[in-house]
Structure formats: C-alpha cells, structure tokens
Amino acid sequence: VKRGGWLATLGDVIYAGKGYKTQDFYKYDPLDDTWYTLGPLPYGSKSGRQREAKKGSRGVGDGGDHLYYTAGNNTNSFFKYYPAEDSWVAMPDVPEGPRGKNVKGGNDMVYVDQRDTGWVYLLKGYKTEFYRFNTVSEEWQTLPDVPYGRRDKYKRGSWLAHDGGQNIYAHQANYYDRALDEHYMFRYDVAGDTWTA
C-alpha cells in the first residue's frame, strides 16, 4: 500500500483501496476478522486513456449505503459504489476548476448529512480548490477555497475530517510555521460556508 491507498467505512465494514498503480479493492469484516477481495476499482480516464489508482485516489462512505471514489492520478473521474452488487457507477467528473488542474495527491473527502441531503465535500489537491457533491441531484458546487499557510498548495499527506456536526477541518501537510513550530489547520463552518484558522 502506497500512494493512492485509502480506507472508508460503511456500517461495521471497512473498505480498502490498495492504490499505487493497482485497482485492488477489499473489504474487512471486523466481526469475522476476515478480509474479502472485491471487484476492481474503476480506472480513471484522461484524454480517453485509462489510468490506474495512484496519488489522489480516495474513498469515503456515506454512513451505510454507498462509497464515493476519486480515481486520482491526474484525472477528474468520480464514482459511486453499490455494495450489494459490488459495482461502480460513473458520476459527473470533479470540476476542472479555474486552474484547469486534475485531481492529484493532497486531496481528501468527507461526507456530511445536511437538511435531508447527503454531501461529499472534496479538497482538490494539490491546490486549494474546495467543492461539494450533492448525492441527490448528482451535481457539483464550488465553495470558497481552503485557506493556507505559507503556500497555496495542499500536498500529499493533507487531509479533511468531519466532527459529526457543523465543522470540517483541513490540515495542510508539508508546510508549517517555523517560528511557532506549528502546522496549519483550518475549520470550515458547513452552515455558514466560511473558513477560520
């Protein structure tokens, strides 16, 4: 497991993408203490060519029914997983954005329920673009960019976390405040659509 590897949960089951130029996909049942091999992850697509899971490959669960997956590896491919059928369906691509960049290392996703709608929030590495995907209408929305510390880059090792309430946290890997010996972290208010340090 190297770049592009990820874990996500649905109920009591843990799903794993192996990453690093493989489409290997597994699930772990903690009650049975057993790993199961699943069908392969879908390939990302760029200029009509298939690309393996590598940096930027990430998955997130919606709490019980589906996984969402960015293929990464310099593509904008985005998929939804149906566990009962062990199958993937292509969703609208991650927006290209104002910089015209594809999904690379440094991205991450969290899932948030808000007003009876499920949202997949996406930090699009390796820059600062921030989006959310409406799982009902299956449309992307552009949100305010993620703040940053010394440089406007979120490199591999950066991550998002949701507190189960109204806040999402973004940690910027690689860069830090040398004077204070502190890394940069920011909080996003889901209801207010605002970032604070």
Side-chain angles (χ1 to χ4, degrees):
V1 179
K2 292 187 180 179
R3 293 179 193 172
W6 54 268
L7 295 173
T9 59
L10 284 179
D12 294 329
V13 179
I14 300 170
Y15 290 84
K18 192 172 186 179
Y20 202 66
K21 300 182 183 179
T22 77
Q23 303 311 110
D24 296 353
F25 184 48
Y26 308 94
K27 73 175 180 180
Y28 175 72
D29 186 333
L31 299 178
D32 296 338
D33 189 22
T34 305
W35 284 97
Y36 299 91
T37 301
L38 301 171
L41 292 169
Y43 287 92
S45 178
K46 182 181 179 185
S47 302
R49 296 180 58 194
Q50 290 186 330
R51 306 200 65 160
E52 304 95 343
K54 202 177 175 184
K55 57 186 178 180
S57 169
R58 285 288 180 272
V60 65
D62 67 2
D65 297 319
H66 304 97
L67 294 175
Y68 292 88
Y69 166 69
T70 54
N73 197 3
N74 202 27
T75 76
N76 286 326
S77 300
F78 184 65
F79 300 91
K80 181 177 183 177
Y81 179 69
Y82 292 80
E85 294 84 23
D86 186 23
S87 64
W88 294 93
V89 173
M91 295 283 105
D93 282 357
V94 173
E96 190 174 75
R99 295 182 176 97
K101 300 292 186 181
N102 295 326
V103 178
K104 299 181 181 180
N107 73 297
D108 201 7
M109 297 185 292
V110 294
Y111 179 85
V112 178
D113 273 316
Q114 187 182 25
R115 298 190 204 100
D116 299 322
T117 300
W119 302 90
V120 177
Y121 284 79
L122 169 72
L123 164 62
K124 184 182 174 187
Y126 70 111
K127 286 290 189 176
T128 60
E129 294 169 33
F130 192 51
Y131 301 95
R132 69 178 185 175
F133 180 76
N134 185 318
T135 62
V136 177
S137 67
E138 298 182 349
E139 296 174 327
W140 287 99
Q141 295 179 2
T142 303
L143 301 173
D145 279 5
V146 182
Y148 56 90
R150 290 176 49 237
R151 295 194 65 186
D152 62 340
K153 290 186 176 181
Y154 276 75
K155 293 189 173 183
R156 64 180 184 266
S158 300
W159 48 263
L160 293 178
H162 178 231
D163 67 1
Q166 289 299 310
N167 298 301
I168 295 172
Y169 295 87
H171 174 264
Q172 186 178 23
N174 200 64
Y175 302 110
Y176 63 97
D177 186 324
R178 296 179 189 276
L180 298 175
D181 196 27
E182 293 178 349
H183 287 267
Y184 297 107
M185 182 178 283
F186 304 92
R187 181 176 60 208
Y188 176 74
D189 183 320
V190 173
D193 190 27
T194 55
W195 286 100
T196 54

